[in-house]
Every structure is written in structure tokens, then in C-alpha cells.
Amino acid sequence: MKVLSFCPSSTLSASLPNLIIFFITYPIHKLESAQFSVTGPGHPVTAVVGEATVLPCHLSPRMSAVNMEVRWFRSQFSAVAHLYRDGQDQYREQMPDYHGRTELLKDGITDGNVSLQILNIRSSDEGQYHCFVKDDVFYEEAILELKVAALGSNPLISVESHQDGGIRVVCQSAGWYPEPKVLWRDLSGQELPSLSEAKSLGDSGLFETENSIIIKECSNQNLSCWIRNTFLNQEKESTVYIADFFFPRVNPWMVALSVILLVLFGFIGLTVYLFKIKGKHLREIRKHDTEINWRRNIICPVNMTAHPELILSEDGKSVTWEDTEQRLPNNPERFDTEPWVLGCEGFTSGRHCWEVAVGGGGYWAVGVARESVRRKEGISLSPEGGIWAVEQGWRDQFWALTSPVTPLPLSRVPSRIRVCLDCDRGQVTFIDAGDEAPIFTFPPGSIPEERIRPWLRVRWGSWLQLRP
């Protein structure tokens, strides 16, 4: 090893001209050895989470980089994303986050192409990258900017509760990057003001968002939740229809006013009033009796569609699941794949409601089905398969049987469910009969113009009972 030391004056005077010549010629020598520059794109590179991307980098003029050192690093020289040296990839110095996710594209390395491919892009990959190339004592580098984006899940719209004289509706989505923009819009595309908004970073480094709005009766009942990634200039949208009977109907002041008016004017028009409504009242009684009779006989004492594992009560008002199949004749109308049963009576027009009490420790489903729904194999639990229903699964999970299913974030699983079928509008609605809170509605036009019958699913020790 050569060590610089002090010399006698004679030696120093002899070597001084050489030192002067060295310091003059060294920069020139270095300049002569600078035979290339490193070039990257003049704009940020865009990558999508979960996909692969390439960070372009090449030497100018074109020359082989096979025997050079190519180092891709982040903010510090030691923060190595990928290292190529001595003719091969070196992984010992690579940061753990990049293990198994990087590749130096060597197809064009003889022409000076030293681009880096990164697989399975993450949000943490965003930022600056240095493309550093060294040949012996000479080196150059280029700095690149990587922008990461992610398009999240389809918005999930759910009806939460009554609030401020309307319905509180919530829109949820996850998997966005960077932070997305959330908007509510009505049927005409007009933007609506939000009640609250919450955004947070999940464990994967992607944004989750929850946005709520209050909807009043007879306004904005066709509602869209619109979530946009401003960086990718792409968005996702979901739409829901809020039926009229979801809204609170009772106004205490109107009730008080009605009572006062009734007391003041009741005696004056009592005779005329009774005469006019007599016929109407009789018709309502007949209609009510018909509805009650239908509710009590929604399940037939001998139902030819019931699965052999279902036990029907003699009064036709309850059905229970048993682990042992009954020996029943083979009937083409009977369900033999799933523990389902259809109601006796079907409907093609009008509006009809009934209540179902649920119990037991298993899972069940309540709703309606086309009379022509498949009885044997290949049955789909969705509107496409001819079924519109809500279901309780394991651990009190509750969802609507859409395609795919729509989770229903209820504070508790209802013990009584009111099913309302509107054949004229082609929709069905489910309401918690205990507190009158809306559960879910299939929008108008969902139900086809054919005979629709009540449908029940009972399994694992559960039971369902009709409540008039």
C-alpha cells in the first residue's frame, strides 16, 4: 500500500512539478473516461397495485452493460431494490420488501438497456428510484419517479336506520390508492351533500372509505354512490332505490291535529260518514279476512314442494328442519337438493304482506320465488335463479341473496321479518317487524311478470312460523 509522507526538501522540490501535472491532468483523464450517460423517462411511471411495471433506464450512447455494475436503489445507496454485478444478480444486499419481486431485464443489456421490472406492485413501492451504473471508476445515474394507484371494490350501499326524519344510507368501499373521491348523486346526476365521511389506511396500505347521507321521503330515492380514483381517472358506481314505505310515516303534530279536528267535526258529519263508509268498510273487512286467511295458510298442511328433511305442521303455519329424511313419494314438484318449500298460493298482481317468526340455532332464509323455480339440481340462490330473499348464516351473519350477496350490517338479527311483495311494481321488501326498521329492498322491476310464491329455507335445527 502506498502511503503519502513528507519528504526532504530536495525530493519535494523534484516531485512538485509532477504533482502539479497530476492535478491538472486527472480531471482531463476522468473526463475522457466518461463515455456514457444514464437516461430515464422524463415523466413519472404509473403502476397499478397487484400488477407488474417496468422502470425504463438505458445508457447513451448504446453500449453493453454486461460487465458493469447496475444498482437500483431508493433514497439511500444502501437501500437496494435490485443489484447486478460481476455478470449476475446479487440478492444479499437487497431490501426484504423486494425479495422475489424484481428482475433486471437482460434481453437488451448488450445495447445498454438496464430497465428494472417490479412484480406485484404495492403502495409502499411509490417514490423515487435511482438507476446507478458503474464501469470501473466511472459512474452515472438517473432518477425516476414511480406513482402507484389502485382501483378499489365496487361501492356497497346499505340502509342503516331512521335519522332526522329520513333514512341514513351508508356507502362503503376498500382497496383504493391514493385517497379516493366519494360523491352521492341522484337519478339526474346531481351531486348530493354527504352527512359524514371517514377514510383510513388498511393493513395493506390501501384506503378504506365510508360515507353516509340522509335521504328524505319523495326526494332522491334513486341514489348512486360514486367513487373515483383521480390519478387513474377511473371510477366505480353503485345504485340503490329507496322504497316509500322505508320512511317514517307518523308525525306527532299531524296526529294531534287530526284528533282535534275529529272531535270538533265528528258529531256533525257522523251520520253521513257512517252511511258512506259502510260499504267500503265491509269490503275492507272481506279483504282483511282474505289476507289473514292467506297468511295462516301460506304453508300447506300437505305441501308437494317441501324437501323431505322439512317437517310441516298440521295447521300449515310452521316448518322445522329435521336431520332425518322422510320417506315421501318422488314428486317432480318437490325440492330434493336443498331444504326449501314454496307457499301454497301464488300472486300475479297487487301488494301482499306477511310476517315470519324465526328461531333455532341454525340458519334460514325468507323471501319469494318464481312458481317455475327449479326443484332439482343446479339451483342458484339469486334473482337470476328466480329467488329474492334474505338469509341468516353462521355466527349471525346476515345478507341479501343478490349476485353477489349483499352483506346487511344489522345490529341484531330480526326475530320477526315482514315480507312485502308488490307485483305491480315488480319489487319485494323486507322489514324488521319488531321495530319497523327497513332491512333490504329489491328495486322495482326485479320481479318478473309471472306467478310469485312465498319461499322458505330451513336448516340445522331452525324453524320458521307464520304470524298473522
Side-chain angles (χ1 to χ4, degrees):
M1 177 182 293
K2 294 183 179 180
V3 180
L4 183 64
S5 61
F6 292 101
C7 302
S9 57
S10 60
T11 305
L12 180 60
S13 61
S15 60
L16 183 57
N18 294 331
L19 289 175
I20 294 173
I21 294 173
F22 171 78
F23 285 114
I24 292 175
T25 59
Y26 176 75
I28 298 175
H29 173 74
K30 185 177 188 297
L31 182 61
E32 289 177 349
S33 64
Q35 298 178 355
F36 64 86
S37 62
V38 180
T39 306
H43 55 80
V45 177
T46 301
V48 177
V49 170
E51 299 182 4
T53 193
V54 174
L55 301 181
C57 185
H58 64 275
L59 305 183
S60 181
R62 294 183 179 182
M63 63 181 64
S64 175
V66 172
N67 297 317
M68 298 183 186
E69 175 182 327
V70 180
R71 179 186 294 257
W72 283 89
F73 65 93
R74 299 298 301 269
S75 58
Q76 298 179 356
F77 191 78
S78 59
V80 175
H82 192 91
L83 177 60
Y84 172 87
R85 187 170 55 202
D86 298 331
Q88 59 185 353
D89 298 308
Q90 309 288 336
Y91 296 105
R92 295 183 61 182
E93 299 181 38
Q94 188 179 43
M95 291 188 294
D97 285 350
Y98 291 91
H99 283 175
R101 295 200 302 125
T102 61
E103 179 186 2
L104 188 69
L105 302 180
K106 303 182 183 66
D107 290 344
I109 196 170
T110 56
D111 291 327
N113 188 346
V114 289
S115 300
L116 179 70
Q117 178 175 253
I118 304 178
L119 307 175
N120 190 21
I121 289 292
R122 306 170 182 172
S123 60
S124 59
D125 294 336
E126 187 172 73
Q128 283 190 346
Y129 287 78
H130 296 248
C131 177
F132 173 91
V133 182
K134 180 183 177 183
D135 182 21
D136 195 14
V137 297
F138 178 77
Y139 63 87
E140 284 286 350
E141 69 174 1
I143 300 177
L144 291 75
E145 183 77 15
L146 176 63
K147 294 288 188 181
V148 174
L151 200 62
S153 61
N154 289 323
L156 174 62
I157 301 178
S158 59
V159 177
E160 292 289 314
S161 61
H162 292 138
Q163 185 174 335
D164 299 333
I167 297 292
R168 183 174 182 265
V169 184
V170 175
C171 176
Q172 297 173 306
S173 184
W176 295 86
Y177 195 88
E179 184 175 320
K181 182 179 182 181
V182 183
L183 291 177
W184 291 98
R185 288 179 173 172
D186 60 16
L187 184 61
S188 64
Q190 184 69 30
E191 184 176 343
L192 304 174
S194 299
L195 172 67
S196 64
E197 183 175 10
K199 296 176 183 176
S200 60
L201 276 173
D203 296 337
S204 61
L206 304 180
F207 281 94
E208 302 172 356
T209 180
E210 179 175 304
N211 195 298
S212 64
I213 190 174
I214 298 295
I215 300 300
K216 304 291 185 178
E217 187 175 7
C218 299
S219 65
N220 306 322
Q221 295 182 22
N222 285 284
L223 191 64
S224 294
C225 179
W226 180 88
I227 305 182
R228 184 178 186 81
N229 185 311
T230 55
F231 186 75
L232 293 176
N233 199 27
Q234 297 182 44
E235 66 275 340
K236 290 193 175 182
E237 180 182 10
S238 292
T239 303
V240 68
Y241 176 82
I242 310 297
D244 290 341
F245 44 78
F246 271 11
F247 296 91
R249 298 298 183 92
V250 179
N251 189 318
W253 294 105
M254 294 300 295
V255 173
L257 180 60
S258 300
V259 173
I260 294 173
L261 291 176
L262 182 62
V263 173
L264 290 177
F265 301 104
F267 290 103
I268 299 175
L270 181 60
T271 303
V272 177
Y273 173 75
L274 291 175
F275 178 77
K276 289 183 177 181
I277 70 168
K278 181 177 180 181
K280 180 180 179 181
H281 183 63
L282 290 175
R283 288 193 299 271
E284 290 293 332
I285 290 176
R286 293 190 189 99
K287 179 181 178 181
H288 178 72
D289 288 344
T290 301
E291 182 179 353
I292 293 298
N293 182 66
W294 175 77
R295 288 178 180 178
R296 290 174 177 172
N297 294 279
I298 184 173
I299 304 176
C300 301
V302 179
N303 193 302
M304 301 302 290
T305 69
H307 188 275
E309 292 180 348
L310 299 183
I311 306 299
L312 305 179
S313 64
E314 293 183 0
D315 60 4
K317 293 193 298 182
S318 65
V319 56
T320 306
W321 180 87
E322 294 291 343
D323 196 18
T324 303
E325 287 194 6
Q326 306 173 81
R327 293 186 177 179
L328 298 175
N330 185 15
N331 182 357
E333 295 296 313
R334 187 183 307 282
F335 294 108
D336 63 0
T337 305
E338 295 287 345
W340 299 350
V341 62
L342 288 178
C344 292
E345 189 172 352
F347 301 93
T348 57
S349 63
R351 186 172 181 267
H352 312 275
C353 295
W354 61 93
E355 292 182 8
V356 182
V358 300
Y363 61 88
W364 46 263
V366 173
V368 299
R370 295 183 305 188
E371 191 169 68
S372 60
V373 67
R374 294 184 57 147
R375 300 323 200 253
K376 308 303 178 183
E377 297 179 356
I379 308 173
S380 173
L381 274 171
S382 67
E384 289 76 7
I387 294 173
W388 297 263
V390 294
E391 182 180 56
Q392 174 188 287
W394 292 112
R395 299 180 179 177
D396 291 339
Q397 295 178 356
F398 201 59
W399 51 73
L401 295 179
T402 54
S403 182
V405 299
T406 300
L408 300 175
L410 304 181
S411 58
R412 62 178 182 83
V413 176
S415 59
R416 287 186 301 129
I417 295 180
R418 182 179 303 139
V419 183
C420 294
L421 171 65
D422 192 333
C423 296
D424 299 331
R425 298 188 67 185
Q427 75 175 22
V428 61
T429 299
F430 301 89
I431 300 171
D432 187 338
D435 57 10
E436 300 297 324
I439 297 175
F440 186 78
T441 184
F442 288 88
S446 300
I447 310 297
E449 293 182 358
E450 63 175 275
R451 184 171 296 277
I452 302 299
R453 295 169 65 177
W455 174 89
L456 303 173
R457 182 188 191 189
V458 192
R459 198 162 190 176
W460 298 110
S462 294
W463 55 265
L464 299 178
Q465 183 178 30
L466 270 294
R467 304 296 291 271

